[in-house]
Structure formats: C-alpha cells, structure tokens
Amino acid sequence: NRIRGIQWRSLRPLLAGAKKLIGVSRYEAEYFRDTLHLPEEQFAVIPNGCTFSHFSDLPPRSTNETLIFSVGRLEQYKGHQHLIEALPYIRQQCPNARAVVLGTGPYEADLQALAYRTGVAEYVEISSIPPGNRRAMAERLSQASLVVLLSDYESHPQAVMEALTLKLPVLVTDTSGLREFAEDGYVRSVPLHSTPSQIANAVLHQLHDPLIPPSVGLPTWEGYMERLLDIYGEIVRLPVAV
C-alpha cells in the first residue's frame, strides 16, 4: 500500500496511451482520473453485474432469528469485526439477533477470538460457500434480515449487488465505492470509523425501518458484456492516426 502511488505513476505512460480506461464505479474512475491526471472523457464506467435475479424459487426467510450477514473475504479491511463488536449492543434491543460472517481468509482466527472476548461467540457464525456455487450463496443470503458491508474500501462490491437483487436491506460504510449506493438511494450508510454503539444504532434502524429500494434495473453480467462490446466497437471504428 505504501508504494501504490509510485506504482500508478510508473504505469501512467502505458495507461495514458489507452483509448479507454474502464472502471467498475464512478469512484474508481474519478480516483484514477485524479491520480493519473488524465481527461475525464478517457474513462468509462461499467458496473459489475449480478446473476441472482435468475433464482426465483428461493426458500422463504425464517422468522425465528434475525440474521445479520457480513459477506466478503476475511481480511481486516473488510470490516467484519465491526459487526461483531456492535453485536452486544444490537442484542440489547434485538435479543434474537445473530451475526453470520460468510467468507474465507487469514483474519478468521482474529474474528473468532474477538467474538469470544466480546461475549457473543455463541451468536456469531463464521462459514463459507464455494465461490462458484451461486445457487447456494443465493439460498443462504436469502435468509438475511440485513446485509452489512463495513469495509474501509470497496470499488463496486459484489455482496451489495447480490443483496439488492434479493430485495434485502443493506448497511455500508460511507466510503469509496460504497458511498455511491447510498447516494443513489439503494442502501443506508454509517460513517467510517463509527463506534460499535453507532453501528448498532444504524443496524437497528435498518432492521426496524428497512430501506428496500423499489425494483430497479440493477446491472447484469449480460449488460456488462454488451456495454464492453460497445466500447470495443467504438474504439475499432476510430480513425487510425497516420
């Protein structure tokens, strides 16, 4: 991370020669535009798609528990620990609340230890689903009462797209590409570096008064490929400099 700025500057001559640079979010396009000092018209934004819309026969959500899902690789920057730290405060007002962390990665032992230290180990599940099994992921996620993504940084998170496709309320941190979802009215957000009690209050707000956006045309992978082919076609048709 310390040399990332140097890395981008060293790549600038190569990137500057591209006809188009494609970002998956407005944030990403703006970041590289400013970092590389390149013109706005050189960038295009094509958001990631989602396939969960193909699953129309998912099981109904159980009403016995309030399951709060945090989905993503088990790394510290993904922010799963913030949900675990907030869980004791959440359970004071929502006693049947449980946290489900879906993912794999090197931070798993730290998350388990944190759950024990905060006294909520029996209410925290850490498990995973093979990345290629989208049906199993859709079935599991459909049981969520709320999906949170409390990352320090995301370009265009797949977990948020999947939750929105399933008509689930979502809470994110107000940062990077996550901010766009809140600005567009799809999710609610909480400030980065919020305290556990502040996160708990935001979670409870989303549970008691959930923001579930109306049916909107969320991006699909088919639409992604169509837009990508359109850009390639535009580039091929550009006149060749002599």
Side-chain angles (χ1 to χ4, degrees):
N1 286 338
R2 295 191 190 96
I3 67 171
R4 188 64 55 81
I6 298 173
Q7 178 189 18
W8 291 131
R9 287 193 292 274
S10 67
L11 288 173
R12 186 188 183 282
L14 175 64
L15 298 173
K19 296 294 184 183
K20 281 289 183 183
L21 296 170
I22 300 172
V24 296
S25 63
R26 298 191 301 269
Y27 165 81
E28 189 173 65
E30 291 168 3
Y31 173 82
F32 284 106
R33 181 194 67 198
D34 296 341
T35 300
L36 301 173
H37 304 290
L38 294 175
E40 183 177 355
E41 59 270 18
Q42 193 170 355
F43 290 83
V45 175
I46 311 179
N48 290 327
C50 182
T51 57
F52 278 13
S53 57
H54 299 320
F55 304 128
S56 58
D57 56 343
L58 296 174
R61 184 169 69 237
S62 171
T63 58
N64 296 328
E65 294 179 307
T66 298
L67 299 181
I68 306 167
F69 278 63
S70 182
V71 184
R73 183 163 169 77
L74 305 187
E75 301 271 5
Q76 186 172 8
Y77 83 93
K78 285 289 189 179
H80 302 294
Q81 67 273 16
H82 303 314
L83 173 60
I84 294 174
E85 290 169 339
L87 191 57
Y89 300 92
I90 296 169
R91 287 183 53 82
Q92 288 176 8
Q93 297 188 44
C94 187
N96 69 342
R98 296 175 59 89
V100 180
V101 179
L102 284 184
T104 60
Y107 201 51
E108 181 173 355
D110 297 86
L111 293 173
Q112 291 173 335
L114 176 63
Y116 278 103
R117 288 200 306 273
T118 53
V120 293
E122 63 183 304
Y123 309 115
V124 175
E125 173 192 338
I126 301 176
S127 59
S128 63
I129 294 173
N133 193 340
R134 307 315 295 160
R135 171 78 193 195
M137 176 61 82
E139 290 181 350
R140 191 75 174 94
L141 199 61
S142 69
Q143 299 304 300
S145 298
L146 173 67
V147 175
V148 303
L149 193 57
L150 304 173
S151 300
D152 294 339
Y153 171 89
E154 296 283 348
S155 291
H156 192 265
Q158 193 69 20
V160 172
M161 292 287 297
E162 292 170 346
L164 292 174
T165 302
L166 296 175
K167 305 296 185 186
L168 298 173
V170 179
L171 178 71
V172 302
T173 40
D174 183 27
T175 183
S176 55
L178 295 169
R179 179 176 293 134
E180 293 177 28
F181 288 97
E183 291 175 342
D184 293 339
Y186 295 148
V187 307
R188 287 198 174 108
S189 64
V190 64
L192 190 64
H193 307 308
S194 292
T195 65
S197 62
Q198 289 171 329
I199 291 173
N201 288 335
V203 165
L204 291 165
H205 184 200
Q206 268 292 61
L207 288 173
H208 297 151
D209 182 22
L211 170 63
I212 302 176
S215 296
V216 292
L218 291 172
T220 64
W221 286 117
E222 291 83 357
Y224 182 98
M225 291 305 302
E226 289 174 4
R227 180 70 181 115
L228 193 63
L229 288 173
D230 286 342
I231 290 176
Y232 285 175
E234 293 169 6
I235 291 172
V236 169
R237 289 191 293 270
L238 288 175
V240 179
V242 179

